[in-house]
Coordinates of all heavy atoms in Angstrom, one line a residue:
E108 N -5.5 7.2 3.7 CA -6.9 7.2 3.4 C -7.7 6.1 4.1 O -8.8 6.3 4.5 CB -7.1 7.1 1.8 CG -6.9 8.4 1.1 CD -7.3 8.3 -0.3 OE1 -7.6 7.2 -0.8 OE2 -7.3 9.4 -0.9
A109 N -7.0 4.9 4.2 CA -7.7 3.8 4.8 C -7.9 4.1 6.3 O -8.9 3.6 6.9 CB -6.8 2.6 4.7
M110 N -7.2 5.0 6.9 CA -7.3 5.3 8.3 C -8.3 6.4 8.6 O -8.7 6.7 9.7 CB -6.0 5.6 9.0 CG -5.1 4.4 9.1 SD -3.5 4.8 9.6 CE -3.8 5.4 11.3
L111 N -8.7 7.1 7.5 CA -9.7 8.2 7.7 C -11.0 7.7 8.1 O -11.5 6.7 7.6 CB -9.9 9.0 6.4 CG -8.8 10.1 6.0 CD1 -9.2 10.6 4.6 CD2 -8.8 11.2 7.0
P112 N -11.7 8.5 9.0 CA -13.1 8.1 9.3 C -13.9 8.1 8.0 O -13.6 8.9 7.1 CB -13.6 9.2 10.3 CG -12.4 9.9 10.8 CD -11.3 9.7 9.7
A113 N -14.9 7.2 7.9 CA -15.6 7.0 6.6 C -16.0 8.3 6.0 O -15.9 8.5 4.8 CB -16.8 6.1 6.8
M114 N -16.5 9.2 6.8 CA -17.1 10.4 6.2 C -16.1 11.5 5.9 O -16.4 12.5 5.2 CB -18.2 11.0 7.1 CG -19.4 10.1 6.9 SD -20.7 10.6 8.1 CE -21.0 12.3 7.5
D115 N -14.8 11.4 6.3 CA -13.9 12.4 6.0 C -13.3 12.1 4.6 O -12.6 13.0 4.0 CB -12.7 12.4 7.0 CG -13.2 13.3 8.2 OD1 -14.3 13.7 8.2 OD2 -12.3 13.4 9.1
R116 N -13.4 10.9 4.1 CA -12.8 10.6 2.8 C -13.5 11.0 1.6 O -13.0 11.2 0.6 CB -12.6 9.0 2.9 CG -11.6 8.6 1.8 CD -11.3 7.1 1.9 NE -10.7 6.7 0.7 CZ -10.6 5.5 0.3 NH1 -11.2 4.5 1.0 NH2 -10.1 5.2 -0.8
W117 N -14.9 11.1 1.8 CA -15.7 11.4 0.6 C -16.4 12.8 0.8 O -16.6 13.2 1.9 CB -16.8 10.3 0.5 CG -16.2 8.9 0.4 CD1 -16.2 8.0 1.4 CD2 -15.5 8.4 -0.7 NE1 -15.6 6.9 1.0 CE2 -15.1 7.0 -0.2 CE3 -15.1 8.8 -1.9 CZ2 -14.4 6.2 -1.0 CZ3 -14.4 7.9 -2.8 CH2 -14.1 6.7 -2.3
H118 N -16.8 13.3 -0.3 CA -17.5 14.6 -0.3 C -18.9 14.5 0.2 O -19.5 15.3 1.0 CB -17.5 15.2 -1.7 CG -18.1 16.6 -1.8 ND1 -17.6 17.7 -1.2 CD2 -19.3 16.9 -2.3 CE1 -18.4 18.7 -1.4 NE2 -19.4 18.3 -2.1
T119 N -19.6 13.4 -0.2 CA -21.0 13.2 0.1 C -21.2 12.9 1.6 O -20.5 12.1 2.2 CB -21.6 12.0 -0.7 OG1 -21.2 12.2 -2.0 CG2 -23.1 12.0 -0.6
I120 N -22.2 13.6 2.2 CA -22.5 13.4 3.6 C -23.4 12.2 3.6 O -24.5 12.3 3.1 CB -23.2 14.6 4.2 CG1 -22.4 15.8 4.1 CG2 -23.5 14.3 5.7 CD1 -23.2 17.1 4.4
I121 N -23.0 11.1 4.2 CA -24.1 10.0 4.4 C -24.6 10.0 5.8 O -23.8 10.2 6.8 CB -23.6 8.6 3.9 CG1 -22.6 8.0 4.8 CG2 -23.3 8.6 2.4 CD1 -22.5 6.5 4.6
E122 N -25.9 9.8 6.0 CA -26.4 9.6 7.3 C -25.9 8.3 7.9 O -26.0 7.3 7.2 CB -28.0 9.6 7.2 CG -28.6 10.9 6.8 CD -28.6 11.2 5.3 OE1 -28.3 10.3 4.5 OE2 -29.1 12.3 4.9
P123 N -25.3 8.3 9.1 CA -24.8 7.1 9.6 C -25.9 6.2 10.2 O -25.8 5.7 11.4 CB -23.7 7.6 10.7 CG -24.3 8.9 11.1 CD -25.0 9.5 10.0
F124 N -26.9 6.0 9.5 CA -28.1 5.2 9.9 C -28.9 4.9 8.7 O -28.7 5.6 7.7 CB -28.9 5.9 11.0 CG -29.3 7.3 10.7 CD1 -30.4 7.5 9.8 CD2 -28.6 8.4 11.1 CE1 -30.8 8.8 9.5 CE2 -29.0 9.7 10.8 CZ -30.0 9.9 10.0
R125 N -29.8 3.9 8.7 CA -30.7 3.8 7.7 C -32.1 3.8 8.3 O -32.3 3.7 9.5 CB -30.5 2.6 6.8 CG -30.4 1.3 7.6 CD -30.0 0.1 6.8 NE -30.1 -1.1 7.6 CZ -29.8 -2.2 7.1 NH1 -29.3 -2.4 5.9 NH2 -29.9 -3.3 7.9
I126 N -33.1 4.1 7.4 CA -34.5 4.4 8.0 C -35.2 3.1 8.3 O -35.2 2.2 7.5 CB -35.2 5.3 7.0 CG1 -34.5 6.7 7.0 CG2 -36.7 5.5 7.5 CD1 -34.8 7.6 5.9
H127 N -35.8 3.1 9.5 CA -36.4 1.8 10.0 C -37.9 1.9 10.0 O -38.6 0.9 9.9 CB -35.8 1.7 11.4 CG -36.3 0.6 12.2 ND1 -37.3 0.7 13.2 CD2 -35.8 -0.7 12.3 CE1 -37.4 -0.4 13.8 NE2 -36.6 -1.3 13.3
S128 N -38.4 3.1 10.2 CA -39.9 3.3 10.1 C -40.1 4.7 9.5 O -39.3 5.6 9.8 CB -40.6 3.1 11.4 OG -40.9 4.2 12.0
V129 N -41.1 4.9 8.7 CA -41.3 6.2 8.1 C -42.6 6.9 8.5 O -43.6 6.3 8.8 CB -41.2 6.1 6.5 CG1 -39.9 5.6 6.1 CG2 -42.3 5.3 6.0
E130 N -42.5 8.2 8.4 CA -43.7 9.1 8.7 C -44.1 9.8 7.4 O -43.1 10.4 6.8 CB -43.4 10.1 9.7 CG -43.3 9.7 11.2 CD -43.0 10.9 12.0 OE1 -41.8 11.3 12.2 OE2 -43.9 11.5 12.5
P131 N -45.3 9.9 7.0 CA -45.6 10.6 5.8 C -45.5 12.1 6.0 O -45.7 12.6 7.1 CB -47.1 10.2 5.5 CG -47.6 9.8 6.8 CD -46.5 9.3 7.7
I132 N -45.2 12.8 4.9 CA -45.2 14.3 4.9 C -46.3 14.7 4.0 O -46.4 14.2 2.9 CB -43.9 14.9 4.4 CG1 -42.7 14.6 5.4 CG2 -44.0 16.4 4.1 CD1 -41.4 15.1 5.0
R133 N -47.2 15.5 4.4 CA -48.4 16.0 3.6 C -47.9 17.1 2.7 O -47.4 18.1 3.2 CB -49.5 16.4 4.4 CG -50.9 16.3 3.7 CD -52.0 16.4 4.8 NE -52.2 17.8 5.3 CZ -52.7 18.8 4.6 NH1 -53.2 18.6 3.4 NH2 -52.9 20.0 5.2
L134 N -48.0 17.0 1.4 CA -47.6 18.0 0.5 C -48.7 19.0 0.3 O -49.7 18.7 -0.3 CB -47.1 17.4 -0.8 CG -46.0 16.3 -0.6 CD1 -45.6 15.7 -2.0 CD2 -44.7 17.0 -0.1
T135 N -48.5 20.2 0.8 CA -49.6 21.2 0.7 C -49.3 22.2 -0.4 O -48.2 22.3 -0.9 CB -49.7 22.0 2.0 OG1 -48.4 22.4 2.4 CG2 -50.2 21.1 3.2
T136 N -50.3 23.0 -0.8 CA -50.2 24.0 -1.8 C -50.0 25.4 -1.1 O -50.3 25.6 0.1 CB -51.4 24.1 -2.7 OG1 -52.5 24.5 -1.8 CG2 -51.8 22.8 -3.4
V137 N -49.6 26.4 -1.9 CA -49.4 27.8 -1.3 C -50.8 28.2 -0.8 O -50.9 28.8 0.3 CB -48.9 28.7 -2.4 CG1 -48.9 30.2 -1.9 CG2 -47.5 28.3 -2.8
E138 N -51.8 28.0 -1.6 CA -53.2 28.4 -1.2 C -53.6 27.8 0.2 O -54.1 28.5 1.1 CB -54.2 28.0 -2.2 CG -55.4 28.8 -2.2 CD -56.5 28.3 -3.2 OE1 -56.3 27.2 -3.7 OE2 -57.5 28.9 -3.3
E139 N -53.3 26.5 0.4 CA -53.6 25.9 1.7 C -52.8 26.5 2.8 O -53.3 26.7 3.9 CB -53.3 24.4 1.6 CG -54.3 23.6 0.8 CD -53.9 22.1 0.6 OE1 -52.7 21.9 0.3 OE2 -54.8 21.3 0.6
R140 N -51.6 26.8 2.5 CA -50.7 27.3 3.5 C -51.1 28.8 3.9 O -51.0 29.2 5.0 CB -49.2 27.3 3.1 CG -48.8 25.8 3.0 CD -47.3 25.7 2.9 NE -46.7 26.2 1.7 CZ -46.4 25.5 0.6 NH1 -46.7 24.2 0.6 NH2 -45.9 26.0 -0.4
E141 N -51.6 29.5 2.9 CA -52.1 30.9 3.2 C -53.3 30.8 4.1 O -53.3 31.6 5.1 CB -52.4 31.6 1.9 CG -51.2 32.2 1.2 CD -51.4 32.9 -0.1 OE1 -52.5 32.7 -0.7 OE2 -50.5 33.6 -0.6
R142 N -54.1 29.9 3.9 CA -55.3 29.7 4.8 C -54.8 29.3 6.2 O -55.3 29.8 7.2 CB -56.3 28.7 4.2 CG -57.2 29.2 3.2 CD -58.5 28.3 3.1 NE -58.1 27.0 2.7 CZ -58.0 26.5 1.4 NH1 -58.2 27.4 0.4 NH2 -57.7 25.3 1.2
A143 N -53.9 28.4 6.3 CA -53.4 28.0 7.6 C -52.7 29.2 8.3 O -52.9 29.3 9.5 CB -52.3 26.9 7.4
L144 N -52.0 30.0 7.6 CA -51.4 31.2 8.2 C -52.4 32.1 8.8 O -52.3 32.6 9.9 CB -50.5 31.9 7.2 CG -49.1 31.4 6.9 CD1 -48.5 32.1 5.7 CD2 -48.2 31.6 8.1
E145 N -53.5 32.4 8.0 CA -54.5 33.3 8.5 C -55.1 32.7 9.8 O -55.3 33.5 10.8 CB -55.7 33.4 7.5 CG -55.3 34.0 6.2 CD -55.6 35.5 6.1 OE1 -56.2 36.0 7.1 OE2 -55.2 36.2 5.2
A146 N -55.4 31.4 9.8 CA -56.0 30.8 11.0 C -55.1 30.9 12.2 O -55.6 30.9 13.3 CB -56.4 29.4 10.6
A147 N -53.8 30.8 11.9 CA -52.8 30.8 13.0 C -52.4 32.2 13.5 O -51.5 32.4 14.3 CB -51.6 30.0 12.6
G148 N -53.1 33.3 12.9 CA -52.7 34.6 13.2 C -51.2 34.9 12.8 O -50.5 35.6 13.5
F149 N -50.8 34.3 11.8 CA -49.4 34.4 11.2 C -48.4 34.1 12.3 O -47.2 34.6 12.2 CB -49.2 35.8 10.7 CG -50.1 36.1 9.5 CD1 -51.4 36.7 9.6 CD2 -49.6 35.8 8.2 CE1 -52.2 36.9 8.5 CE2 -50.5 36.0 7.1 CZ -51.7 36.5 7.3
N150 N -48.7 33.3 13.3 CA -47.8 32.8 14.2 C -47.5 31.3 13.9 O -48.4 30.5 14.0 CB -48.3 32.9 15.7 CG -47.3 32.5 16.7 OD1 -46.4 31.7 16.4 ND2 -47.4 33.1 17.9
L151 N -46.3 31.0 13.5 CA -46.0 29.6 13.1 C -46.2 28.6 14.2 O -46.3 27.4 13.9 CB -44.6 29.5 12.4 CG -44.4 30.5 11.2 CD1 -43.0 30.2 10.6 CD2 -45.5 30.5 10.2
F152 N -46.1 29.0 15.4 CA -46.4 28.1 16.5 C -47.9 27.6 16.5 O -48.2 26.6 17.1 CB -46.1 28.7 17.9 CG -44.6 28.8 18.2 CD1 -43.8 29.9 18.0 CD2 -43.9 27.7 18.7 CE1 -42.5 30.0 18.3 CE2 -42.5 27.7 19.0 CZ -41.8 28.9 18.8
G153 N -48.7 28.4 15.9 CA -50.1 28.1 15.9 C -50.6 27.2 14.7 O -51.7 26.9 14.6
L154 N -49.6 26.8 13.9 CA -50.0 25.9 12.8 C -50.2 24.5 13.3 O -49.7 24.0 14.3 CB -48.8 25.8 11.8 CG -48.5 27.1 11.0 CD1 -47.2 26.9 10.2 CD2 -49.7 27.5 10.1
H155 N -51.0 23.7 12.5 CA -51.1 22.3 12.7 C -49.9 21.7 12.1 O -49.6 22.0 10.9 CB -52.4 21.7 12.0 CG -53.7 22.2 12.7 ND1 -54.7 21.3 12.9 CD2 -54.0 23.3 13.2 CE1 -55.7 22.0 13.5 NE2 -55.3 23.2 13.7
A156 N -49.2 20.8 12.8 CA -47.9 20.3 12.3 C -48.1 19.6 11.0 O -47.1 19.5 10.2 CB -47.2 19.5 13.4
D157 N -49.3 19.0 10.8 CA -49.4 18.2 9.5 C -49.6 19.1 8.3 O -49.8 18.7 7.2 CB -50.4 17.1 9.6 CG -51.7 17.5 10.1 OD1 -51.9 18.7 10.3 OD2 -52.6 16.7 10.4
D158 N -49.7 20.4 8.6 CA -49.7 21.4 7.5 C -48.3 21.9 7.1 O -48.1 22.9 6.4 CB -50.6 22.6 7.8 CG -52.1 22.3 7.8 OD1 -52.4 21.3 7.1 OD2 -52.8 22.9 8.6
V159 N -47.3 21.3 7.8 CA -45.9 21.7 7.6 C -45.2 20.6 6.8 O -45.3 19.5 7.1 CB -45.2 21.9 8.9 CG1 -43.7 22.3 8.8 CG2 -45.9 23.0 9.8
L160 N -44.4 21.1 5.7 CA -43.7 20.1 4.9 C -42.3 19.7 5.6 O -42.0 18.5 5.8 CB -43.3 20.7 3.6 CG -44.3 20.3 2.4 CD1 -45.5 21.1 2.4 CD2 -43.5 20.4 1.1
I161 N -41.5 20.7 5.9 CA -40.2 20.4 6.5 C -40.2 21.3 7.8 O -40.3 22.5 7.8 CB -39.1 20.9 5.6 CG1 -39.1 20.3 4.3 CG2 -37.7 20.6 6.3 CD1 -38.8 18.8 4.2
D162 N -40.2 20.6 9.0 CA -40.4 21.3 10.2 C -39.1 21.6 10.9 O -38.5 20.7 11.5 CB -41.3 20.5 11.1 CG -42.0 21.4 12.2 OD1 -41.6 22.6 12.3 OD2 -43.0 20.9 12.8
L163 N -38.6 22.8 10.7 CA -37.4 23.2 11.3 C -37.6 24.3 12.4 O -36.8 25.1 12.7 CB -36.4 23.8 10.2 CG -36.3 22.9 8.9 CD1 -35.3 23.6 7.9 CD2 -35.7 21.6 9.3
L164 N -38.8 24.2 13.0 CA -39.1 25.1 14.1 C -38.2 24.9 15.3 O -37.7 25.9 15.9 CB -40.6 24.7 14.6 CG -41.1 25.6 15.7 CD1 -41.4 27.0 15.2 CD2 -42.4 25.0 16.3
T165 N -37.8 23.7 15.6 CA -36.9 23.4 16.7 C -36.3 22.0 16.5 O -36.8 21.2 15.8 CB -37.8 23.4 18.0 OG1 -36.9 23.0 19.1 CG2 -38.9 22.5 18.0
D166 N -35.1 21.9 17.2 CA -34.5 20.6 17.3 C -34.8 19.9 18.6 O -34.2 19.0 19.0 CB -33.0 20.8 17.2 CG -32.4 21.6 18.3 OD1 -33.1 22.5 18.8 OD2 -31.3 21.3 18.8
S167 N -35.8 20.5 19.3 CA -36.1 20.0 20.7 C -37.1 19.0 20.8 O -38.3 19.3 20.6 CB -36.5 21.3 21.5 OG -36.8 20.9 22.8
G168 N -36.7 17.8 21.0 CA -37.7 16.7 21.2 C -38.3 16.2 19.9 O -39.2 15.3 19.9
T169 N -37.8 16.7 18.8 CA -38.3 16.4 17.5 C -37.5 15.4 16.7 O -37.8 15.1 15.5 CB -38.5 17.7 16.6 OG1 -37.2 18.3 16.6 CG2 -39.5 18.6 17.2
G170 N -36.4 14.9 17.3 CA -35.6 13.9 16.5 C -36.2 12.5 16.5 O -37.1 12.2 17.2
A171 N -35.5 11.7 15.6 CA -35.9 10.3 15.6 C -35.2 9.5 16.6 O -33.9 9.7 16.8 CB -35.6 9.7 14.2
M172 N -35.8 8.7 17.4 CA -35.1 7.8 18.3 C -34.6 6.6 17.6 O -35.1 6.2 16.5 CB -36.0 7.4 19.5 CG -36.2 8.6 20.4 SD -36.6 8.1 22.1 CE -38.2 7.4 21.9
S173 N -33.5 6.0 18.1 CA -32.9 4.9 17.5 C -33.6 3.6 17.8 O -34.4 3.5 18.8 CB -31.4 4.7 17.9 OG -31.4 4.4 19.3
R174 N -33.3 2.5 17.1 CA -33.8 1.2 17.4 C -33.5 0.8 18.9 O -34.4 0.3 19.6 CB -33.1 0.2 16.5 CG -33.4 -1.3 16.7 CD -32.3 -2.1 16.0 NE -31.0 -1.8 16.5 CZ -29.9 -2.2 16.0 NH1 -29.9 -2.9 14.9 NH2 -28.7 -2.0 16.5
D175 N -32.3 1.2 19.3 CA -31.9 0.8 20.7 C -32.6 1.6 21.7 O -32.8 1.1 22.8 CB -30.4 0.9 20.8 CG -29.7 -0.2 19.9 OD1 -30.4 -1.1 19.5 OD2 -28.5 -0.1 19.7
Q176 N -33.0 2.8 21.3 CA -33.8 3.6 22.3 C -35.2 3.1 22.4 O -35.7 2.9 23.5 CB -33.9 5.1 21.9 CG -32.6 5.9 22.2 CD -32.7 7.3 21.7 OE1 -32.7 7.6 20.5 NE2 -32.7 8.2 22.7
W177 N -35.8 2.7 21.3 CA -37.1 2.1 21.4 C -37.1 0.7 22.1 O -38.0 0.4 22.9 CB -37.7 1.9 20.0 CG -38.2 3.2 19.4 CD1 -37.6 3.8 18.3 CD2 -39.3 4.0 19.8 NE1 -38.2 5.0 18.1 CE2 -39.3 5.1 19.0 CE3 -40.2 3.9 20.8 CZ2 -40.2 6.2 19.1 CZ3 -41.2 4.9 20.9 CH2 -41.2 6.0 20.1
A178 N -36.0 0.0 22.0 CA -35.8 -1.2 22.7 C -35.7 -0.9 24.2 O -36.3 -1.6 25.0 CB -34.6 -2.0 22.2
A179 N -34.9 0.1 24.5 CA -34.7 0.5 25.9 C -36.1 0.9 26.6 O -36.3 0.6 27.8 CB -33.8 1.7 26.0
I180 N -37.0 1.5 25.8 CA -38.3 1.9 26.3 C -39.0 0.6 26.8 O -39.7 0.7 27.8 CB -39.0 2.6 25.2 CG1 -38.5 4.1 25.2 CG2 -40.5 2.5 25.3 CD1 -39.1 4.9 24.1
Q181 N -38.8 -0.5 26.2 CA -39.5 -1.7 26.6 C -39.0 -2.2 28.0 O -39.6 -2.9 28.7 CB -39.3 -2.9 25.6 CG -40.0 -2.6 24.3 CD -41.5 -2.6 24.4 OE1 -42.1 -3.2 25.3 NE2 -42.1 -1.7 23.6
H182 N -37.8 -1.7 28.4 CA -37.3 -2.0 29.7 C -37.8 -1.0 30.8 O -37.4 -1.1 31.9 CB -35.7 -2.0 29.7 CG -35.1 -3.1 28.9 ND1 -34.8 -4.3 29.5 CD2 -34.8 -3.2 27.6 CE1 -34.3 -5.1 28.6 NE2 -34.3 -4.5 27.4
G183 N -38.5 0.0 30.4 CA -39.0 1.0 31.3 C -39.7 0.4 32.5 O -40.6 -0.4 32.3
D184 N -39.3 0.7 33.7 CA -39.9 0.2 34.9 C -40.6 1.4 35.6 O -40.0 2.4 35.8 CB -38.8 -0.3 35.8 CG -39.4 -0.8 37.2 OD1 -39.9 0.0 37.9 OD2 -39.2 -2.0 37.4
E185 N -41.9 1.2 35.8 CA -42.7 2.4 36.2 C -42.9 2.4 37.7 O -43.9 3.0 38.2 CB -44.0 2.4 35.4 CG -43.9 2.4 33.9 CD -43.0 3.5 33.3 OE1 -42.8 4.5 34.0 OE2 -42.5 3.4 32.2
S186 N -42.0 1.8 38.5 CA -42.2 1.9 40.0 C -42.1 3.4 40.4 O -41.4 4.1 39.8 CB -41.0 1.2 40.6 OG -40.9 -0.1 40.2
Y187 N -43.0 3.7 41.3 CA -43.1 5.1 41.8 C -41.7 5.5 42.4 O -41.3 6.7 42.1 CB -44.2 5.2 42.8 CG -44.4 6.7 43.3 CD1 -45.3 7.5 42.6 CD2 -43.7 7.2 44.3 CE1 -45.5 8.8 43.0 CE2 -43.8 8.5 44.7 CZ -44.8 9.3 44.0 OH -45.0 10.6 44.4
A188 N -41.1 4.7 43.2 CA -39.8 5.1 43.8 C -38.8 4.0 43.6 O -39.1 2.8 43.6 CB -40.1 5.2 45.3

Side-chain angles (χ1 to χ4, degrees):
E108 278 190 351
M110 289 173 65
L111 278 176
M114 285 176 59
D115 277 3
R116 193 171 166 205
W117 308 105
H118 180 70
T119 311
I120 304 167
I121 66 159
E122 292 82 5
F124 48 82
R125 53 187 186 181
I126 293 163
H127 178 261
S128 101
V129 296
E130 284 181 274
I132 291 178
R133 202 166 74 78
L134 303 174
T135 50
T136 62
V137 172
E138 202 190 4
E139 285 171 322
R140 293 195 292 268
E141 278 176 347
R142 277 202 300 273
L144 278 169
E145 295 265 354
F149 295 90
N150 186 333
L151 303 188
F152 283 98
L154 294 170
H155 290 221
D157 53 7
D158 289 334
V159 176
L160 260 82
I161 307 283
D162 204 347
L163 307 182
L164 182 71
T165 174
D166 63 322
S167 180
T169 52
M172 286 206 292
S173 68
R174 173 197 63 192
D175 293 345
Q176 284 180 291
W177 286 109
I180 279 176
Q181 294 296 326
H182 289 270
D184 178 298
E185 306 304 342
S186 302
Y187 185 90

